[in-house]
């Protein structure tokens, strides 16, 4: 006769690695959304400065399209 298979499930009362609890973070919560809003506001300020002081409207629009954001008209950047 061949070898018999032994049950190796709960040896000594310890669990195996397959029973680990999943503790992955799923969302940023309210703090993440506050930080996101602050970053958007800061980006808008930098874009305004680039368009008004450096006269670099075309480059700003290329960057907006590259990061999948809508183009803005030049009058949106006025003070």
């Amino acid at each position: 006769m061949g070898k018999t298979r032994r049950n190796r499930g709960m040896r000594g009362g310890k669990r195996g690695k397959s029973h680990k609890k999943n503790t992955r973070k799923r969302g940023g919560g309210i703090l993440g959304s506050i930080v996101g809003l602050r970053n958007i506001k800061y980006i808008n300020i930098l874009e305004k400065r680039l368009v008004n002081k450096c006269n670099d409207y075309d480059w700003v629009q290329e960057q907006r399209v590259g990061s999948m954001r809508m183009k803005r008209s030049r009058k949106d950047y006025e003070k």
Side-chain angles (χ1 to χ4, degrees):
M1 264 194 149
K3 294 181 181 178
T4 58
R5 245 179 99 193
R6 283 198 251 170
N7 185 4
R8 298 179 185 228
M10 298 270 289
R11 179 185 280 175
K14 293 184 179 180
R15 286 186 167 187
K17 289 184 179 180
S18 64
H19 297 286
K20 280 190 174 180
K21 191 174 179 183
N22 189 4
T23 58
R24 185 173 63 105
K25 250 185 148 176
R26 301 215 185 267
I30 192 148
L31 184 63
S33 53
I34 290 172
V35 171
L37 288 174
R38 185 189 68 191
N39 291 346
I40 290 170
K41 186 176 178 184
Y42 184 66
I43 288 170
N44 289 339
I45 290 170
L46 291 178
E47 286 178 350
K48 252 185 198 180
R49 184 180 299 165
L50 277 170
V51 171
N52 292 327
K53 298 213 182 230
C54 302
N55 201 17
D56 212 355
Y57 174 77
D58 296 327
W59 184 83
V60 170
Q61 296 312 307
E62 287 174 15
Q63 299 306 310
R64 287 183 69 84
V65 169
S67 61
M68 291 191 262
R69 294 189 295 161
M70 300 280 293
K71 283 188 175 182
R72 284 180 158 180
S73 66
R74 192 177 279 270
K75 69 178 184 179
D76 291 339
Y77 292 108
E78 294 175 359
K79 293 179 182 179

